[in-house]
Amino acid sequence: MAESKDPTNANLEESETKKPKSMAAQTGLPERETVGTTGEEGAHGDVSTSAGSKLAPPETEPVVKPATKPAKRKKEEPAPVQAARESLSLSADEIDKPKVVKAKGSKNIHSGIAHVLSTFNNTIVTITDMKGNVIGWSSAGKVGFKGSRKSTAYAAQMVAQDASRQAMGHGLKEVEVLVKGPGAGRESAVRALQAVGLDLTVIRDVTPMPHNGCRPPKPRRV
């Protein structure tokens, strides 16, 4: 008798032969167990369960806020440079001794006379030899003072230093001081001459004093 085939078995065999091979079989790689997901998880595709771990929620990337523009830096204004303070002290220790440079045509004069003219507006120091020939001179304007600063005691100090530096270049060591005028630089000029290193032999006041000889001018009419 011919064996009668079961129609259900025949249908299963046909379905297996028609079933397409999986991608793993085609590529020769071992198949991974995949679990189909539904809903939100299904949108991410198959998830590997080889480790047997629970499905972890998808990692969300941190929201990066746009970097704010750096505030514009204000232009740094340079700090105002403070002017060097003038040393108004007249002590001999604080007066700097000027650098003495030997003059080109040095006259080798060891003693001389320092004429200090101190008025209300200016101070002029002239140093001569014993005969009256000028070997060094200076004034407040020459040193660099202007306006009302020319009549200050500090200006007289700088003037005396400048004049003595020129005279010491000719070999001057000792001087006689003749002071003329009622200005504020009388004493400071004399102290500066001594502090520089000159030996003061005589200090004499030669301010002209009237003996009622000349008639004074009329009062000013405004």
Side-chain angles (χ1 to χ4, degrees):
M1 288 179 66
E3 294 180 1
S4 61
K5 293 183 178 180
D6 191 355
T8 57
N9 294 334
N11 292 335
L12 289 173
E13 290 177 1
E14 290 178 2
S15 62
E16 289 178 359
T17 55
K18 292 180 181 181
K19 186 177 181 180
K21 296 180 180 181
S22 62
M23 291 296 294
Q26 293 177 5
T27 56
L29 297 175
E31 293 186 1
R32 294 188 300 171
E33 296 180 3
T34 58
V35 179
T37 56
T38 59
E40 295 179 358
E41 296 177 357
H44 295 284
D46 297 337
V47 181
S48 173
T49 58
S50 58
S53 61
K54 295 182 180 180
L55 295 175
E59 297 180 359
T60 57
E61 296 181 357
V63 179
V64 180
K65 295 182 180 180
T68 57
K69 293 183 179 180
K72 293 183 179 179
R73 294 182 179 178
K74 295 182 179 179
K75 294 182 179 180
E76 297 180 357
E77 298 179 357
V81 180
Q82 295 182 352
R85 294 182 178 178
E86 300 176 354
S87 61
L88 301 178
S89 61
L90 301 177
S91 62
D93 298 335
E94 296 185 4
I95 297 177
D96 298 332
K97 293 185 178 181
K99 294 182 180 179
V100 178
V101 180
K102 192 172 183 180
K104 188 175 182 181
S106 179
K107 300 177 182 178
N108 295 325
I109 298 172
H110 299 289
S111 60
I113 302 172
H115 302 268
V116 179
L117 174 60
S118 178
T119 65
F120 292 118
N121 297 320
N122 202 351
T123 302
I124 302 173
V125 176
T126 306
I127 300 178
T128 66
D129 59 5
M130 300 306 292
K131 295 180 181 180
N133 299 317
V134 178
I135 59 176
W137 72 275
S138 183
S139 66
K142 182 184 177 183
V143 174
F145 293 93
K146 293 182 180 180
S148 60
R149 298 180 64 190
K150 293 168 66 175
S151 60
T152 59
Y154 178 72
Q157 175 185 327
M158 300 300 293
V159 169
Q161 288 183 16
D162 187 29
S164 60
R165 178 182 55 81
Q166 299 174 28
M168 291 172 73
H170 293 283
L172 187 69
K173 292 183 179 179
E174 60 179 17
V175 291
E176 295 180 8
V177 182
L178 305 181
V179 183
K180 182 186 291 186
R186 289 167 56 97
E187 295 182 4
S188 60
V190 174
R191 290 181 183 179
L193 289 172
Q194 186 176 9
V196 163
L198 295 174
D199 294 331
L200 307 185
T201 57
V202 178
I203 299 175
R204 189 181 304 147
D205 187 3
V206 294
T207 304
M209 298 294 291
H211 295 278
N212 293 332
C214 296
R215 184 177 180 179
K218 294 179 181 180
R220 183 167 174 262
R221 291 178 292 182
V222 180

